[in-house]
Amino acid sequence: MKTVFSPGQLAHDPRHEISDGELKPAVEIPARAEIVRARILEAGMGEILAPEEFGMAPLARVHDAGYLDFLDSFWSRWTEAGRGGEAFPFVWPVRGLRADPVPDHIDGLLGRYSFDAGTPMGEETFAAARASANSALTGARLVAGGDRAAFALCRPPGHHAAADYYGGYCFLNNAGIAAQWLRDAGAARVAIFDVDYHHGNGTQAIFYDRSDVLFLSVHADPREEYPYFLGHAEETGIGAGEGFNVNYPLAPGADWAIWSAALDAGLERIARFAPDVLIVSLGLDPYEKDPISRFRLTQDDFTRLGARLARAGLPTLFVLEGGYAVDALGVNCVNTLTGFEAG
């Protein structure tokens, strides 16, 4: 299986995040990608390719033009306001406030285009996010060109980013961008299966009214875990998308027996949908030792995950999402991919 990765993704190097109401050391750090890459090389999994440059057009197929302009112009606006270092929003257009008049001031723009305070932005954030998206797009091109599977080593991750907001360490929705590119390249139907511990709220929001992209997510119950305000079982799509959004929220503490039952239910739904391509938003934070998660998957369970995904018999693009047990991240990732290849 080929891996796609750009060192440019490492340029986004946050020092802090706001978590649990406190300023803490960042957990979405460049070492995540470096450790996964090192393990792939150690395991001899195959080529590691540099991504192609796809430009802005595929991003604009998924993301709002104003939002992309904000990301592109953020650093100049930030520094023109006399700021330096990492940026965090602190005010949002919540219920009773207006989001339609887009602010001119950078603090207003940060609030308009974000949904949490835990995702720092810096000078290289957009460049790294674009490199991450190009990795996903290059992986999509490999699969469209006949590869059985490809792995997009994406960092920063993407599944919390919606059409016009960022959060959860995500700025561009890599899986969503790849799915839309595949549709534009001729795939009639695409399925996205998100197995991250946290619900892929951004991906759900992007495709919620569509029947050509099936979105499924197995994740911690949002009544207990981030992102709190999306990911419930009754969210099944609207309009043409009714029935094409499937959530499997699980109580914290779920082990493989519980978690894999939801996985199997999702795979059955995918089989009925009969997509041309499967995209796996590969969150590795269901791991039992992940510092910000409360599921109980073991390292061997990730091998089982890969094998079960292989049974779908579909061209498959793996897109890296979360996973913050840094020392084990490479092992869990490679276990998934080798489990798939052996399946």
Side-chain angles (χ1 to χ4, degrees), residues 76-133:
S76 63
R77 290 173 180 264
W78 185 243
T79 54
E80 285 169 8
R83 314 291 178 77
E86 297 176 331
F88 294 91
F90 66 89
V91 60
W92 293 268
V94 298
R95 294 172 298 279
L97 301 182
R98 292 178 60 189
D100 52 313
V102 178
D104 293 326
H105 195 279
I106 186 59
D107 288 325
L109 288 168
L110 284 165
R112 170 62 179 81
Y113 290 118
S114 69
F115 80 101
D116 70 18
T119 305
M121 293 185 67
E123 182 176 6
E124 302 297 335
T125 297
F126 189 42
R130 285 190 61 188
S132 189

Side-chain angles (χ1 to χ4, degrees), residues 313-329:
L314 294 166
T316 302
L317 172 62
F318 291 90
V319 177
L320 185 63
E321 300 288 0
Y324 307 100
V326 177
D327 292 343
L329 194 63

Side-chain angles (χ1 to χ4, degrees), residues 154-269:
C154 290
R155 184 268 156 193
H159 71 150
H160 293 305
D164 65 349
Y165 61 75
Y166 72 92
Y169 316 138
C170 303
F171 303 94
L172 296 172
N173 194 300
N174 302 313
I177 291 166
Q180 184 60 56
W181 186 90
L182 286 162
R183 285 285 292 111
D184 294 339
R189 291 176 301 278
V190 177
I192 303 174
F193 201 172
D194 192 321
V195 298
D196 193 278
Y197 177 77
H198 304 95
H199 177 249
N201 60 285
T203 316
Q204 171 172 310
I206 288 167
F207 297 108
Y208 202 57
D209 61 352
R210 291 173 54 171
S211 60
D212 58 331
V213 178
L214 172 68
F215 176 69
L216 312 95
S217 179
V218 52
H219 53 270
D221 191 328
R223 291 178 177 85
E224 296 284 341
E225 285 284 6
Y226 183 95
Y228 300 111
F229 303 111
L230 214 60
H232 301 279
E234 65 269 21
E235 297 160 8
T236 57
I238 57 172
E242 176 61 46
F244 294 91
N245 191 91
V246 187
N247 287 321
Y248 302 98
L250 303 177
D255 60 8
W256 174 253
I258 296 169
W259 194 89
S260 65
L263 174 70
D264 289 344
L267 289 170
E268 289 174 7
R269 179 66 183 88

